């Protein structure tokens, strides 16, 4: 047979969830008693039939996974992406046999190590040494294997000094490092990893990503769930996007799947123009964004994407300043489609003499994005702002007003430069003798 | 279905794994590690530590000897000192009740493992029983001390004691497996077990000899599987004076086996849904 190591056929997983009906506040004792009796009767009936106890007045069936089929070949590193609640973790649970699917089946060839949580089974009272053995065994290593790798694990975690101290005395960073380190030394043909890279400080995170790419470099199969699009792009050779428990796209081209994800994530407002929906979502005491759009040098709004890169693009923020504060600032942040924060720019970036005027009432501020700066591709531009060194009202990467810019063509006047270049930026720099 | 054979692992609804018992063997190291963890953690941050395993059965023995032996003046088996009679029964009873309570709470206590890693779930209740076993060994020292004190020499019967230790563990594991599985779905059982254990102490022949039960009721009395186990312990430790009532013993054995089968069967049935319900 072929080199398919994981084969999922038509997987489905159903949960039943209970809803609590809304209660009136002034219920009397008799009503409470009656409700208690009714609920007791239902639960007893459920017990007789062997149904689980679900708190609530009405039940709803909910498919966490539906019709999920895919095949993974030996040595493939597959990323699974999707927003919270899309079924990623459920899928991993089914794949690692923690839970049973409601429909379909999954078939696996080889030893599976799944890492759905850092430090599963760590006991606070036990020492680092004891916990390495405990956690390693839980993850499926044999005693001999752990012994052999013990020094390596301790060194990687950088905790050799405290190895005989109970882990409850560890700092949270040490704890997490030790836990990841055990998992990183698993030797299995298939590795299933859920979002564990989001731990530790930046330095350690980098070390983890390095370790993960070693793993996939060794011809082992990796399944990787993360919200860190950069890590997915770096580690994975293919990706699937889950939306509401279904596979929405799957491709060897990781970037295109990530693009789908970023698009879908913002499906309701993926456009090159943003307008305040009139809700209180973006309200604060000082500054309320009203419109956010692109325009050309003559101030004409750009409503069609993609656009060429041989003209300057103006980014316009129309907003109402409700209260003045010397610390009040706002500006933009530019992100790639993998959610990498490229750069930010605030209206106070230049010399104070050239700052635009900001007054109480409605202001329009424009920011010039010089031609030949960005590469071809899709960029997300967010409004950022707040009170300088005091408070963020629009923190980078959170739910901010955003517009999308798609650049295609016009990268340079050079006849040898017709298409997208490698690298994030594509500036046309000056060359002389 | 034929395609499945090419793969090592299959996960599908209602699929009982063919290799379950093999798997259980493969994960034997996990069993030891979990048992070791429970033992290591059991008396951490206590002042007298492992002495707790000695003090509790000892005090119970004293109280039972005074109440049943001195005040109620119940007869002992032959010339056996009453304190020995009580302690020979208290040993298996403590083993049984500890094992039952530990195993029936084990899945809930280890819920973090169940939601995050795969392994044959039966390892958890099985490993939790080991701590009860260790406590048993420690309190066994008291028995030896008491035998020296009363200058009581055991007969060859004592060589058969391991069989009855296993029987006591089996007796607790059967219901323990069933209850711990039910506990995942219905937390009510958490409250039932302490009650059952307390209740069982009085309906089992711990503070008195089972020979004081009228003959016509003895078979009925043996429906309590611990009657057989306790009689067996007394027969081993105290020698010839404590007789095993054979039909009752066979009945106890049958019930223990039946519970074990039921426990394993129910546990296996519910196992795959633990992660969803816990």
């Amino acid at each position: 047979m072929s080199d398919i190591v994981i084969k999922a056929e038509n997987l489905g997983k159903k949960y039943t969830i209970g809803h609590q009906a809304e209660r009136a506040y002034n219920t009397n004792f008799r009503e409470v008693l009656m409700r208690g009796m009714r609920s007791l009767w239902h639960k007893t009936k459920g017990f007789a039939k062997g149904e689980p106890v679900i708190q609530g007045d009405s039940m709803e069936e909910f498919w966490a996974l539906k019709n999920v089929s895919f095949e993974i070949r030996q040595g493939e590193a597959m990323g699974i992406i999707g927003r919270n609640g899309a079924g990623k973790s459920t899928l991993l649970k089914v794949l690692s046999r923690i839970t049973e699917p409601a429909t379909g089946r999954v078939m696996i060839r080889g030893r599976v190590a799944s890492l759905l949580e850092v430090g599963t089974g760590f006991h606070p009272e036990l020492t680092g040494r004891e916990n390495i053995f405990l956690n390693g065994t839980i993850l499926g290593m044999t005693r001999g294997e752990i012994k052999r790798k013990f020094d390596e694990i301790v060194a990687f975690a950088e905790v050799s000094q405290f190895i005989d101290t109970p882990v409850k005395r560890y700092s949270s960073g040490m704890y997490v490092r030790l836990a990841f380190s055990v998992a990183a030394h698993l030797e299995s043909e298939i590795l299933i990893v859920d979002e564990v890279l989001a731990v530790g400080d930046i330095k350690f995170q980098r070390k983890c990503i390095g370790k993960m790419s070693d793993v996939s470099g060794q011809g082992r199969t990796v399944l990787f769930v993360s919200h860190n699009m950069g890590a997915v792009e770096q580690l994975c050779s293919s990706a699937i996007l889950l939306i509401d428990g279904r596979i929405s796209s799957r491709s060897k081209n990781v970037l295109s799947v990530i693009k789908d994800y970023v698009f879908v994530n913002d499906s309701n407002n993926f456009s090159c123009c943003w307008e305040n929906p009139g809700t209180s979502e973006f309200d604060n005491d000082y500054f309320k964004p009203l419109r956010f759009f692109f325009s050309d040098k003559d101030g004409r709004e750009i409503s069609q994407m993609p656009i060429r890169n041989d003209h300057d693009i103006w980014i316009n923020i129309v907003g109402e300043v409700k209260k003045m504060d010397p610390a009040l600032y706002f500006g933009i942040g530019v992100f790639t489609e993998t959610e990498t924060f490229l750069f930010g720019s605030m209206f106070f970036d230049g010399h104070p003499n050239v700052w635009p005027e900001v007054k109480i009432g409605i202001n329009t501020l424009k920011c010039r994005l010089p031609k030949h700066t960005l590469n071809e591709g899709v960029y997300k531009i967010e409004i950022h702002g707040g009170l300088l060194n005091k408070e963020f009202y629009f923190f980078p990467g959170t739910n901010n007003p955003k517009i999308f810019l798609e650049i295609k063509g016009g990268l340079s006047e050079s006849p040898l430069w017709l298409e997208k270049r490698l690298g994030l930026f594509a500036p046309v720099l000056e060359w002389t003798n | 279905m034929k395609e499945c054979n090419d793969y090592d692992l299959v996960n599908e609804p209602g699929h009982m794994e063919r290799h379950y018992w093999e798997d259980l063997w493969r994960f034997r190291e996990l069993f030891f590690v979990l048992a070791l963890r429970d033992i290591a953690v059991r008396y951490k941050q206590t002042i007298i530590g492992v002495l707790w395993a000695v003090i509790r059965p000892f005090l119970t023995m004293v109280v039972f000897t005074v109440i049943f032996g001195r005040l109620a003046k119940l007869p002992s088996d032959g010339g056996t000192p009453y304190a020995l009679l009580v302690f020979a029964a208290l040993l298996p009873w403590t083993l049984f009740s500890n094992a039952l309570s530990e195993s029936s709470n084990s899945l809930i206590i280890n819920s973090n493992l169940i939601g995050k890693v795969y392994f044959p779930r039966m390892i958890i209740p099985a490993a939790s029983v080991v701590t009860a076993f260790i406590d048993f060994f420690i309190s066994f020292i008291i028995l030896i001390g008491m035998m020296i004190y009363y200058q009581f020499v055991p007969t060859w019967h004592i060589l058969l004691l391991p069989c009855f230790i296993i029987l006591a563990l089996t007796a607790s594991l059967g219901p323990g497996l069933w209850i711990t599985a039910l506990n995942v779905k219905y937390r009510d059982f958490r409250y039932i077990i302490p009650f059952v254990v307390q209740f069982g102490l009085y309906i089992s022949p711990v503070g008195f000899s089972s020979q004081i039960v009228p003959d016509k009721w003895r078979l009925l009395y043996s429906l309590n599987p611990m009657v057989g186990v306790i009689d067996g312990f007394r027969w081993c430790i105290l020698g010839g004076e404590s007789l095993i009532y054979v039909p009752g013993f066979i009945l106890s054995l049958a019930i223990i086996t039946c519970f074990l089968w039921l426990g394993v069967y129910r546990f296996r049935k519910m196992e795959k849904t633990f992660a969803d319900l816990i």
Side-chain angles (χ1 to χ4, degrees), chain B residues 196-209:
Chain B
V196 166
V197 166
Q198 195 187 26
F199 199 60
L201 180 60
Y202 294 101
I203 60 166
S204 303
V206 179
F208 48 88
S209 163

Side-chain angles (χ1 to χ4, degrees), chain A residues 13 50-51 94 97 110 143, chain B residues 8 11 17 29 185-186 276:
Chain A
K13 178 81 194 169
E51 288 162 358
V94 172
R97 288 198 296 165
R143 208 179 159 72
Chain B
D8 302 331
N11 188 3
E17 270 145 77
E29 283 195 358
K185 240 186 203 177
Y186 313 105
D276 300 332

Side-chain angles (χ1 to χ4, degrees), chain A residues 162-174:
Chain A
F162 307 101
I163 197 64
D164 290 310
T165 312
V167 295
K168 66 176 174 182
R169 308 266 176 250
Y170 278 29
S171 75
S172 52
M174 280 156 65

Side-chain angles (χ1 to χ4, degrees), chain B residues 2 15 20 61 80 84 96 105-106 114 119 123 132 142 183 192 200 202 235 253 259:
Chain B
K2 234 177 77 204
H15 178 95
Y20 190 81
M61 184 269 292
T80 319
L84 266 183
F96 170 80
N105 275 326
S106 57
I114 290 169
F119 52 87
I123 285 177
I142 307 180
N183 227 337
I192 292 176
Y202 294 101
W235 178 78
L253 264 186
F259 263 115

